[in-house]
Amino acid sequence: MTTVGSTRPRTRIAALDVARGIAILGTLGTNIWIFTDPAGIVGYLETAGSDPWPQRILMQLAQGKFLGLLTLMFGIGLAIQAASARRRGRTWPGNYRTRAFLLFIDGLVHYFLVAEFDVLMGYAVVSMLLCGVVVSSRRTRMWIAGTAAIVHMLLVTALVVALAVTPASSGSSGEPTDVFATGSWWDLVVFRAENFLAFRSEVIFLVPLTIAMFLVGAALFEAGIFDERGVRLRRRLLLTGAVAAPVDIAVGLFGGTAGLFAARYAIAPFVALGLLALIAQWYSTRDRVGTVGGWLQGIGRAALSCYILQNIIASVICYGWGFGLAARIDPAYRTQFTVIVYITVCAILVIAARLWLRRFRQGPVEWLWKASFELLTRDDSDRPETDRQRVGSGTLDA
């Protein structure tokens, strides 16, 4: 078995941060279309499935896959922290729920002040529920994950059938969709407050899937997906992803609204498993992450900060309280505009992460989160963070 100081573990450890970085930029690939729609998330939902083909293809390539990858990585992070606590002889979950509560507060602030499609609140709630489960028996964890997956698939099936038999509506929802194009920053805060339950409905709907993906991610990490033990496991997951990916694309592009829904919530999670295996396999056979891998690793190390920052930057570029470019661009060039905005935001994140991490060990939001936890609990036992440094320092893992 290789030692912690050898080249192989460094490569394997890097894969964790690289995977987080890919997940962060991948979720931006889905959400960027919300920012560049003049009507924001309302317009994005109302035009789903009726966009120009180049846009639909680009949207489908990212739809649901990277959110699934991010959820798996969150479950892996939960398993890492539980294992770290046990190695140190500490009671688990101990004060972990305080950390999860602080993440919930982060998500709540992010929701009101930045983006109505925040995922942090949902992750925080599920991590509170599962923090004790991750140290239970494998049979118990798999039983809970399986039950949650079945519940999720039943919900998805019911909603897909309902969408398939319901005639498509050509009307508008009647919402004040110009608030994103012309409203002030405060107008958007108020708009999110007035539509809190509607905008948080997806988070609630995804609780069973999030539970399943958390526990699957934790199980995959324990099974050695990032090291030499996981060769056969990675092959199986690569096959799963290879089969699911074309099905996801076909159903999402040609299945109408029901197909979009089925692809995002039922098929994309299997593609995410293949993505995780692909990343793990790629870096398990290399001694260096390379230039692009280094860029992604930096984003992964400051994952929480980069997740929030990317939404702030896109808001400034697109919304009316910022530069307001989404409403000024000719709709015929929206696809090209969106690609340019995406590349611009990614470049800013790469540069910002590299510059920040040259001077600091963790991102600014990660630091604030940890400092708040220590202040509330008087617990500074994580200060050396030997285990966290060994397995990756991204903090989008509660």
Side-chain angles (χ1 to χ4, degrees):
M1 184 172 179
T2 52
T3 61
V4 171
S6 68
T7 301
R8 181 65 63 200
R10 282 198 297 271
T11 303
R12 171 166 51 90
I13 296 161
L16 284 163
D17 285 330
V18 171
R20 287 191 186 102
I22 291 174
I24 293 297
L25 296 186
T27 56
L28 177 63
T30 300
N31 298 335
I32 196 67
W33 301 96
I34 299 175
F35 289 112
T36 59
D37 193 306
I41 192 170
V42 178
Y44 172 83
L45 294 174
E46 287 182 347
T47 60
S50 61
D51 301 298
W53 273 101
Q55 178 177 330
R56 291 172 63 182
I57 293 171
L58 289 174
M59 294 172 72
Q60 190 57 39
L61 288 175
Q63 190 71 258
K65 292 86 169 167
F66 297 98
L67 179 61
L69 178 61
L70 187 65
T71 308
L72 288 169
M73 296 307 300
F74 209 106
I76 288 171
L78 190 60
I80 288 171
Q81 293 197 42
S84 174
R86 286 183 292 174
R87 280 193 298 270
R88 297 177 182 183
R90 295 176 57 83
T91 302
W92 177 265
N95 291 324
Y96 178 82
R97 288 189 176 89
T98 301
R99 293 173 60 88
F101 174 75
L102 289 172
L103 182 66
F104 181 87
I105 298 300
D106 285 344
L108 191 65
V109 172
H110 181 242
Y111 168 84
F112 281 112
L113 304 188
V114 182
E116 57 280 353
F117 42 83
D118 167 80
V119 300
L120 301 179
M121 295 170 65
Y123 286 174
V125 170
V126 173
S127 63
M128 288 182 194
L129 296 174
L130 293 184
C131 58
V133 176
V134 294
V135 295
S136 62
S137 68
R138 183 178 182 276
R139 180 177 180 180
T140 298
R141 286 178 284 150
M142 290 301 97
W143 184 87
I144 293 174
T147 301
I150 291 172
V151 170
H152 173 73
M153 292 305 296
L154 289 174
L155 290 173
V156 170
T157 301
L159 288 173
V160 167
V161 171
L163 288 170
V165 301
T166 302
S169 174
S170 59
S172 167
S173 66
E175 295 287 351
T177 54
D178 63 339
V179 68
F180 293 93
T182 63
S184 66
W185 172 79
W186 182 249
D187 289 334
L188 280 174
V189 173
V190 173
F191 180 69
R192 293 176 186 123
E194 292 174 344
N195 295 276
F196 183 84
L197 292 179
F199 288 148
R200 295 290 79 192
S201 60
E202 184 185 41
V203 172
I204 298 171
F205 169 76
L206 286 177
V207 166
L209 177 62
T210 305
I211 290 173
M213 296 289 276
F214 268 34
L215 292 176
V216 168
L220 291 176
F221 181 76
E222 293 177 358
I225 190 170
F226 288 105
D227 60 46
E228 62 277 4
R229 295 174 297 154
V231 173
R232 293 181 61 185
L233 175 61
R234 290 194 293 269
R235 289 175 180 170
R236 292 172 181 171
L237 293 179
L238 283 170
L239 179 60
T240 298
V243 172
V247 176
D248 172 89
I249 296 297
V251 172
L253 290 179
F254 303 106
T257 304
L260 284 171
F261 194 91
R264 176 177 173 87
Y265 297 116
I267 307 174
F270 293 98
V271 182
L273 289 169
L275 284 172
L276 178 61
L278 180 62
I279 296 166
Q281 180 64 28
W282 181 268
Y283 288 101
S284 69
T285 59
R286 285 163 174 77
D287 293 331
R288 297 181 181 275
V289 297
T291 301
V292 175
W295 295 346
L296 295 168
Q297 188 179 20
I299 293 173
R301 286 179 57 196
L304 181 56
S305 296
C306 287
Y307 172 70
I308 295 173
L309 179 61
Q310 70 185 17
N311 293 331
I312 293 174
I313 296 170
S315 298
V316 171
I317 294 173
C318 297
Y319 290 163
W321 61 265
F323 300 148
L325 296 185
R328 299 180 184 179
I329 295 297
D330 187 328
Y333 299 102
R334 185 189 169 207
T335 300
Q336 297 91 321
F337 169 66
T338 302
V339 171
I340 291 172
V341 173
Y342 177 77
I343 294 173
T344 300
V345 175
C346 290
I348 293 173
L349 289 180
V350 168
I351 295 170
R354 287 178 66 86
L355 292 177
W356 182 271
L357 292 173
R358 284 179 181 177
R359 298 193 60 185
F360 305 99
R361 190 187 56 79
Q362 56 189 176
V365 180
E366 284 83 353
W367 174 85
L368 180 61
W369 185 20
K370 184 173 182 293
S372 300
F373 170 74
E374 293 176 358
L375 181 64
L376 289 175
T377 63
R378 304 296 182 183
D379 184 350
D380 63 352
S381 60
D382 283 342
R383 191 170 298 279
E385 294 196 333
T386 303
D387 291 302
R388 185 181 294 273
Q389 290 172 356
R390 288 200 296 116
V391 297
S393 57
T395 316
L396 253 184
D397 57 10

